[in-house]
Amino acid sequence: MDKIARIKELIDVLNDASRAYYAEDVEIMSNFEYDKLYDELMQLEEETGTVFANSPTQNVGYEVVSELPKEKHPSQMLSLNKTKDVDELVSWLGDKDGLLSWKMDGLTVVLTYEGGKLVKAVTRGNGEVGEVITPNAKTFVNLPKSISYNGKLTIRGEAIITYSDFEKINSEIEDVDAKYKNPRNLCSGSVRQLSSEITAKRHVRFYAFSMVDPEDTELVDSFENSFEKRFEYLKGLGFEVVQFERVTGVSLPDAVKSFSSRIPSNEFPTDGLVLSYDDIAYGRSLGTTAKFPRNAIAFKWKDEEAETVLRDIEWSPSRTGLINPVAIFDTVDLEGTDVSRASLHNITYVRDMKLGIGDRIKVYKANMIIPQISENLTKSGNITIPDACPACGGEVVIKNEKGTETLNCVNPKCPAKNIKLFTLFVSRNAMNIDGMSEATMETFIDHGLLRGLSDIYHLEEHKEKIVALEGFGEKSYNKLISAIEASRKADMAGFLYGLGIPGFGVANAKLVVKAYKSDINAIMNATEEELVEIDQVGNVLAGDFVSYFADESKRAEVEKLLKEIEFVIEENTAEQDLEGMTFVITGSLETYPNRDALKKEIEDRGGKVAGSVSAKTSCLINNDIDSNSSKNKKAKSLGIPIITEEMFKNKQFT
């Protein structure tokens, strides 16, 4: 390939990566790969003297795509030139004093204060046009709502989400595919929300890294032409600023080492350091290039590499059908932690790297965090792409989208695709298997331990394999098996609900169990005509129920499950005094431990519980009778009694 053709190819690849990163919050290549290709492009442009208008070396960021209002920045926000060489940093600083600070990895935001109040917040966007996110910025947890300076003050900084908040938010997302990949993506999406309420829940923080010259000349003079003085002033106003250290050419190397040592314990994501001249006037006198200012430079660490041996490639299926390759190699120490796995992204990546079992490879941590393979020294290329899905043994196909090949399972019944069914089956209102998280089940599916629901009750046959899994051990295994054993004594309604019959909730399951007097065989052979006779079971639900048990594979799986469990039939001795009544529960409870407890009592006494108020509602239970909630308003408009828990217990239904 000639140099001009390679330049065009690199431009397309890098622009696609930038578009994904800046406009769609998707990372399709590592920083290591991007920097390597970017440097190659710059070298080729210098060698040939040919620079295309759409080259990323000429553009700053990517076009904003959002429904948020757009606004042009008063002056273009340029990105920084970068180096990975400490000696080059020292040479750049020369005999001047500088400030070394973190280059935080979040979303750059420009704040404007007037009269001591925040009046505007705009994202960096593409450097020329940003998105107005003022209501969202007002929810940043560490941002002062008012400051003592009443003039106009414009501050640039980075919005970030800490690792602990990131982990907490991700832990609350049950859908593994919906979890956020990194704090930067989560922060970008959080800051650019159309609802500031969502932003507020994400605990976004703001760290100032510069101040635009204020119009107040006296204030400017008070900074004594010092970048550090500006930082100190902002701290005095209540802003948190990026951590910084004053340096000289002599102290700079040690300062870089000091910053490096803090990365493993940092609570915030970073992607390098920034070195700025403390002398503002000097830095400004240097001007800018078309893309970079000359008063500051970014430093990125030369990623610590380690040589190791590739022992295996694990193909991990996902709910989308995509089967992701993961490298398994001899454990190495990187940045103070043991590393033995790294994502290989897709088939194209595996083939381009010419990977083979037994190859000597070099691995590193992108931004000192994410394990990646940087180089294959052997290049045997002996990897065989699987011809069957590891989770179900079904057919796989290789898809090619824009030159990138991926492996995909085409079996619609693949357990990896149907992880939600497993999640539902083990949930509290179904079989209530504590400790059987979605992530755990995905791991079991990946290793071929779960293909059908009944396999849950045979996991003890794979003890040795489970105990050896990452994150597992003897204690975790024993706890899980105990929970599975406890679930063998099952509630029939919970069991039916856990099968995932379309539209079939717990309430309907209880009605069917009651109608068929807990006869599971009669339930499995129920007809549509019989089912529609049950109150609240309509034609569609009845049809879906019958179709489920008419499916031979599903019925066979249910038969397997019935051999593993025993139904506990509780005789209901409660007075049926709520027969024909429908209740809606809202607000906090005082005497019942939770809504499920109150709901159970109502159902045991022959009543029903609905989720919303309608003309069929007998009573709305709300301890705050006078509240202006939507349910209270609806009940009042329909003339439906609103009663407290105490009134319910005393049978005061009017």
Side-chain angles (χ1 to χ4, degrees), residues 338-624:
D338 289 340
V339 179
S340 59
R341 301 165 63 89
S343 172
L344 296 175
H345 309 296
N346 49 59
I347 291 176
T348 300
Y349 184 90
V350 171
R351 287 176 172 164
D352 287 349
M353 293 287 285
K354 297 180 181 177
L355 292 170
I357 305 303
D359 283 359
R360 293 208 65 80
I361 58 174
K362 286 186 175 181
V363 295
Y364 73 104
K365 276 189 177 181
N367 292 331
M368 303 178 81
I369 298 172
I370 305 168
Q372 302 279 345
I373 293 178
S374 57
E375 188 178 357
N376 181 9
L377 302 174
T378 310
K379 297 184 178 180
S380 67
N382 65 24
I383 293 298
T384 301
I385 308 302
D387 56 7
C389 174
C392 67
E395 180 186 356
V396 294
V397 297
I398 295 176
K399 295 181 180 179
N400 190 318
E401 294 183 12
K402 297 181 180 180
T404 298
E405 290 186 322
T406 57
L407 189 65
N408 297 264
C409 174
V410 297
N411 175 15
K413 295 183 179 180
C414 176
K417 292 182 180 180
N418 296 302
I419 185 68
K420 279 296 181 189
L421 174 59
F422 285 88
T423 304
L424 175 66
F425 186 77
V426 303
S427 66
R428 186 181 67 176
N429 290 327
M431 299 302 286
N432 192 24
I433 303 178
D434 187 38
M436 197 77 161
S437 69
E438 188 166 316
T440 295
M441 287 185 288
E442 285 206 329
T443 300
F444 289 167
I445 289 169
D446 289 351
H447 288 81
L449 307 183
L450 288 181
R451 293 196 175 184
L453 294 176
S454 59
D455 291 332
I456 291 172
Y457 293 96
H458 295 274
L459 286 173
E460 75 278 0
E461 298 169 11
H462 308 286
K463 177 179 179 179
E464 188 174 333
K465 193 168 187 178
I466 292 173
V467 171
L469 291 174
E470 187 175 351
F472 259 84
E474 193 84 26
K475 187 175 180 180
S476 299
Y477 168 82
N478 290 335
K479 185 177 179 181
L480 178 61
I481 295 301
S482 293
I484 291 171
E485 288 303 308
S487 76
R488 290 181 185 274
K489 299 284 187 180
D491 172 69
M492 189 178 294
F495 172 78
L496 290 174
Y497 166 65
L499 296 178
I501 302 169
F504 206 72
V506 177
N508 288 327
K510 289 180 178 179
L511 291 172
V512 169
V513 170
K514 183 178 179 181
Y516 283 88
K517 298 180 179 179
S518 301
D519 185 340
I520 191 64
N521 289 317
I523 291 172
M524 291 172 62
N525 292 295
T527 65
E528 289 186 45
E529 292 77 16
E530 292 171 349
L531 289 166
V532 294
E533 292 297 318
I534 302 172
D535 190 29
Q536 296 187 37
V537 178
N539 291 320
V540 174
L541 187 59
D544 287 340
F545 189 89
V546 171
S547 295
Y548 180 90
F549 286 104
D551 184 309
E552 290 185 10
S553 62
K554 290 176 180 175
R555 192 180 184 96
E557 188 64 24
V558 173
E559 295 284 3
K560 289 181 183 177
L561 283 167
L562 292 177
K563 293 177 181 177
E564 305 293 341
I565 63 175
E566 177 186 344
F567 292 121
V568 177
I569 310 298
E570 293 184 10
E571 186 178 352
N572 183 14
T573 58
E575 179 186 1
Q576 300 298 291
D577 59 329
L578 302 183
E579 192 83 42
M581 298 184 71
T582 300
F583 295 83
V584 173
I585 307 168
T586 190
S588 60
L589 299 176
E590 296 171 357
T591 58
Y592 289 88
N594 51 51
R595 290 189 188 182
D596 284 344
L598 176 53
K599 182 179 178 182
K600 184 178 186 304
E601 181 173 329
I602 291 171
E603 291 174 343
D604 285 348
R605 289 165 61 183
K608 300 169 188 172
V609 177
S612 58
V613 177
S614 70
K616 294 182 179 180
T617 304
S618 305
C619 293
L620 171 64
I621 301 175
N622 187 352
N623 285 320
D624 187 357

Side-chain angles (χ1 to χ4, degrees), residues 113-411:
Y113 283 77
E114 290 183 9
K117 304 293 182 184
L118 177 64
V119 296
K120 185 164 49 180
V122 184
T123 67
R124 179 184 183 278
N126 67 354
E128 293 184 357
V129 178
E131 301 160 309
V132 180
I133 48 98
T134 311
N136 297 345
K138 290 179 178 179
T139 71
F140 292 174
V141 294
N142 65 336
L143 198 64
K145 294 182 179 179
S146 60
I147 59 176
S148 58
Y149 179 67
N150 288 317
K152 183 176 180 180
L153 195 64
T154 302
I155 304 160
R156 293 176 176 176
E158 199 79 356
I160 63 106
I161 288 177
T162 64
Y163 285 118
S164 56
D165 284 332
F166 170 74
E167 295 296 341
K168 184 175 185 296
I169 291 168
N170 254 358
S171 69
E172 295 169 353
I173 301 173
E174 292 187 359
D175 186 340
V176 172
D177 282 353
K179 290 180 184 288
Y180 296 93
K181 292 185 177 179
N182 53 58
R184 188 264 167 198
N185 284 11
L186 174 58
C187 181
S188 179
S190 301
V191 170
R192 297 162 62 201
Q193 286 289 329
L194 297 179
S195 168
S196 59
E197 182 181 359
I198 297 175
T199 306
K201 293 177 180 177
R202 303 287 175 77
H203 296 95
V204 180
R205 300 169 190 274
F206 177 85
Y207 290 86
F209 58 65
S210 71
M211 177 200 304
V212 177
D213 279 347
E215 298 169 352
D216 186 338
T217 55
E218 287 188 12
L219 181 61
V220 173
D221 290 342
S222 72
F223 299 143
E224 300 174 4
N225 191 40
S226 168
F227 196 11
E228 184 177 19
K229 294 279 187 183
R230 293 193 176 201
F231 270 155
E232 295 297 344
Y233 179 74
L234 289 176
K235 287 167 69 175
L237 290 177
F239 293 97
E240 290 194 54
V241 302
V242 293
Q243 293 178 18
F244 66 90
E245 183 175 334
R246 192 179 184 91
V247 293
T248 64
V250 174
S251 65
L252 183 54
D254 285 340
V256 171
K257 288 181 182 178
S258 175
F259 274 91
S260 302
S261 67
R262 287 176 244 162
I263 289 177
S265 59
N266 272 353
E267 251 290 87
F268 49 85
T270 63
D271 60 356
L273 300 172
V274 175
L275 178 62
S276 308
Y277 292 114
D278 183 54
D279 187 329
I280 296 171
Y282 174 76
R284 189 171 292 140
S285 72
L286 299 176
T288 67
T289 67
K291 187 176 181 182
F292 308 118
R294 290 194 173 99
N295 65 337
I297 187 172
F299 172 78
K300 290 196 172 185
W301 284 273
K302 288 180 179 177
D303 300 294
E304 180 185 333
E305 289 185 310
E307 193 173 313
T308 184
V309 177
L310 181 65
R311 296 301 181 186
D312 195 10
I313 290 184
E314 183 180 285
W315 295 86
S316 177
S318 71
R319 73 184 66 239
T320 62
L322 185 65
I323 303 174
N324 302 297
V326 178
I328 312 297
F329 44 81
D330 290 343
T331 302
V332 292
D333 182 287
L334 287 176
E335 317 293 353
T337 59
D338 289 340
V339 179
S340 59
R341 301 165 63 89
S343 172
L344 296 175
H345 309 296
N346 49 59
I347 291 176
T348 300
Y349 184 90
V350 171
R351 287 176 172 164
D352 287 349
M353 293 287 285
K354 297 180 181 177
L355 292 170
I357 305 303
D359 283 359
R360 293 208 65 80
I361 58 174
K362 286 186 175 181
V363 295
Y364 73 104
K365 276 189 177 181
N367 292 331
M368 303 178 81
I369 298 172
I370 305 168
Q372 302 279 345
I373 293 178
S374 57
E375 188 178 357
N376 181 9
L377 302 174
T378 310
K379 297 184 178 180
S380 67
N382 65 24
I383 293 298
T384 301
I385 308 302
D387 56 7
C389 174
C392 67
E395 180 186 356
V396 294
V397 297
I398 295 176
K399 295 181 180 179
N400 190 318
E401 294 183 12
K402 297 181 180 180
T404 298
E405 290 186 322
T406 57
L407 189 65
N408 297 264
C409 174
V410 297
N411 175 15

